[in-house]
Amino acid sequence: MTTMFRNSGLRLSGLVGPIGFGTIGFDRLAIGLSGLCAVHCLASAVLLALAASAGGLLLVPAVHEIGLSVAILLGAMALGRGVLQHGFMMPISIGALGLGVMAGAVSLPHDGSGETLFTLVGVGLLALGHDLNQRAAR
């Protein structure tokens, strides 16, 4: 499977350098945070349905903006380092698409108009990008 993946993507060559916390470590951290984001998103929807006052605490716009900023930062670090390490563009492309979908979801109103669905799709794409990045780094 790894051989098939390595032979199917674009490669950049010769830009690798060892730096502290490896690509796989950043990807694992980012995948874990993606999972927490998905749990937060679903919990917000459930709490909002159960009690408007309890759900409102999780729907503060600053929480989503800070979370997106952290996702962009970790994505740039892990996926960018991955491109430099293994040279494949697919992981960063899929991760960037996920971040874009998440950014679009932040701009939607929190009234059930698809914000939760778009956020979960974005989180899933971002996690897939990090998973592909881990696989390519092995």
Side-chain angles (χ1 to χ4, degrees), residues 38-137:
V39 168
H40 161 82
C41 195
L42 291 172
S44 296
V46 169
L47 286 176
L48 185 61
L50 294 175
S53 61
L57 184 62
L58 294 174
L59 295 175
V60 175
V63 171
H64 299 114
E65 293 163 3
I66 291 169
L68 180 62
S69 298
V70 169
I72 290 171
L73 179 66
L74 278 175
M77 289 171 53
L79 297 171
R81 181 182 283 171
V83 169
L84 296 177
Q85 180 182 2
H86 52 68
F88 292 112
M89 296 298 294
M90 184 64 74
I92 198 168
S93 299
I94 291 175
L97 176 62
L99 287 169
V101 172
M102 289 168 61
V106 166
S107 69
L108 294 174
H110 298 297
D111 61 0
S113 63
E115 182 249 348
T116 301
L117 176 65
F118 283 112
T119 300
L120 290 174
V121 168
V123 165
L125 286 169
L126 181 59
L128 175 61
H130 285 294
D131 183 58
L132 291 173
N133 203 37
Q134 280 185 338
R135 291 170 188 256

